Amino acid sequence: MLKSLQDTTTLHNGVKMPWFGLGVFKVKEGSEVIDAVKSAIKHGYKSIDTAAIYQNEEGVGQAIKESGVPREDLFITSKVWNSDHGYDAALQAFETSLNKLGLHYLDLYLIHWPGQNKTYKETWRALEKLYKDGRVRAIGVSNFHIHHLQDLISEAEIKPMVNQVEYHPHLAQKELHAFCQREGIQLEAWSPLKQGQLLSEPTINEIAEKYQKSPAQVILRWDLQNKVVTIPKSIKEQRIIENANIFNFELSPEDMERMDGLNKDERVGSNPDVMNVGF
């Protein structure tokens, strides 16, 4: 059983990645993101997940600097956006993100979306170079279906270490999860609470009452027990603390099954096969 925010999963290249972190999607640049990240780090979070398209990398970087926590104690993720697919463009995008963050390296760099024209293979070559050059400790993808992963792996020199996807009880992605486990690719959940829509789900509320936990805590615990890294977003300090208070209980096999039974293959975000923004 996972015991604390400091617990990690070991990626296939040996890098240790926290099971739990803070996502900053739709968190405004400036004081909002700075305060959220500083609050998270103050309360023990080690992992912060941002992206070029979030337009808040500078604030994340400032918060890291002001936190007083040594850089090597943190795990920082960013992502290359759709308009920067391709070898040279991706390398330049990385430099831009790193400069905005004010860091010398990233712990994890992801291709944000696969896109429609398979330029992700050229983008992946750029990430492989960054990895081999020691600029990034781990590389991966986001929003990749099985067929995207198979296509990428067939020509890649280095297999992705992480696949970050929309994942929650209404979108359990069981086939994708099983594929990633077989391939040694760590699955990571974005929008684990389905942007708050799951907090009123009756079954989840029943289970939450049983354990004297919040619906959010039950969902995030379900993620971890399914061996999925999770990065819930919040800008409120109390919610940041509450979300992470999930290491002192364990869902029973029966309650895990009840949660699994809520799957509807229902997305709150775009389907990667049709998402075409920025191309």
Side-chain angles (χ1 to χ4, degrees):
M1 178 172 156
L2 299 175
K3 299 287 176 63
S4 77
L5 265 173
Q6 282 67 53
D7 283 346
T8 57
T9 178
T10 302
L11 304 180
H12 72 65
N13 67 335
V15 166
K16 295 185 182 305
M17 178 182 185
W19 281 106
F20 197 93
L22 179 75
V24 296
F25 175 56
K26 289 189 175 176
V27 181
K28 292 176 190 167
E29 178 64 290
S31 60
E32 187 170 275
V33 74
I34 292 167
D35 290 347
V37 172
K38 284 172 71 174
S39 290
I41 294 173
K42 180 174 78 173
H43 293 289
Y45 284 64
K46 300 298 184 187
S47 176
I48 309 294
D49 179 278
T50 185
I53 195 64
Y54 300 171
Q55 298 183 356
N56 56 19
E57 290 172 311
E58 289 180 354
V60 169
Q62 186 174 333
I64 291 167
K65 188 176 179 182
E66 292 179 4
S67 74
V69 172
R71 166 68 184 95
E72 60 271 18
D73 290 349
L74 300 173
F75 191 97
I76 310 301
T77 301
S78 194
K79 312 175 193 80
V80 58
W81 184 239
N82 305 342
S83 55
D84 291 314
H85 267 297
Y87 185 79
D88 292 331
L91 290 176
Q92 184 54 55
F94 174 81
E95 298 298 341
T96 300
S97 286
L98 207 62
N99 287 336
K100 286 184 176 179
L101 285 159
L103 302 176
H104 297 298
Y105 68 93
L106 285 179
D107 297 280
L108 179 63
Y109 197 46
L110 306 176
I111 297 177
H112 208 147
W113 291 87
Q116 306 296 310
N117 52 13
K118 298 196 177 181
T119 50
Y120 57 75
K121 291 184 181 179
E122 287 301 301
T123 308
W124 187 250
R125 277 205 312 118
L127 268 63
E128 288 179 327
K129 174 175 171 51
L130 292 167
Y131 176 70
K132 286 186 278 191
D133 288 349
R135 311 292 306 285
V136 186
R137 296 177 65 229
I139 51 176
V141 295
S142 183
N143 301 303
F144 273 47
H145 286 324
I146 291 173
H147 70 88
H148 296 123
L149 289 168
Q150 288 172 326
D151 183 53
L152 182 63
I153 291 168
S154 69
E155 296 181 25
E157 189 179 337
I158 300 166
K159 188 185 292 186
M161 289 123 201
V162 172
N163 185 19
Q164 184 187 115
V165 299
E166 182 179 349
Y167 178 90
H168 46 70
H170 283 174
L171 186 68
Q173 305 249 42
K174 291 187 178 179
E175 288 183 14
L176 176 63
H177 192 188
F179 177 85
C180 287
Q181 286 185 313
R182 287 196 302 272
E183 293 292 334
I185 300 169
Q186 176 62 55
L187 202 68
E188 180 178 18
W190 64 257
S191 198
L193 307 179
K194 201 183 178 186
Q195 296 185 3
Q197 293 180 31
L198 281 166
L199 302 182
S200 56
E201 171 71 53
T203 299
I204 292 172
N205 275 270
E206 281 178 32
I207 294 170
E209 194 171 333
K210 172 182 171 181
Y211 291 91
Q212 293 298 289
K213 289 290 184 179
S214 71
Q217 289 169 328
V218 165
I219 294 165
L220 298 171
R221 184 72 212 177
W222 175 81
D223 288 351
L224 298 188
Q225 287 183 220
N226 277 327
K227 296 185 167 29
V228 176
V229 170
T230 191
I231 46 169
K233 166 219 163 185
S234 183
I235 59 173
K236 297 187 172 87
E237 184 170 20
Q238 195 52 46
R239 189 65 53 77
I240 287 168
I241 296 167
E242 182 184 287
N243 283 345
N245 186 20
I246 59 171
F247 295 95
N248 57 358
F249 78 108
E250 189 165 4
L251 296 169
S252 70
E254 295 75 23
D255 289 328
M256 287 293 290
E257 277 186 30
R258 289 181 73 195
M259 297 275 286
D260 290 346
L262 297 173
N263 184 45
K264 303 176 179 178
D265 292 326
E266 186 176 283
R267 297 176 182 275
V268 72
S270 299
N271 187 319
D273 281 333
V274 298
M275 200 276 190
N276 199 27
V277 175
F279 290 90

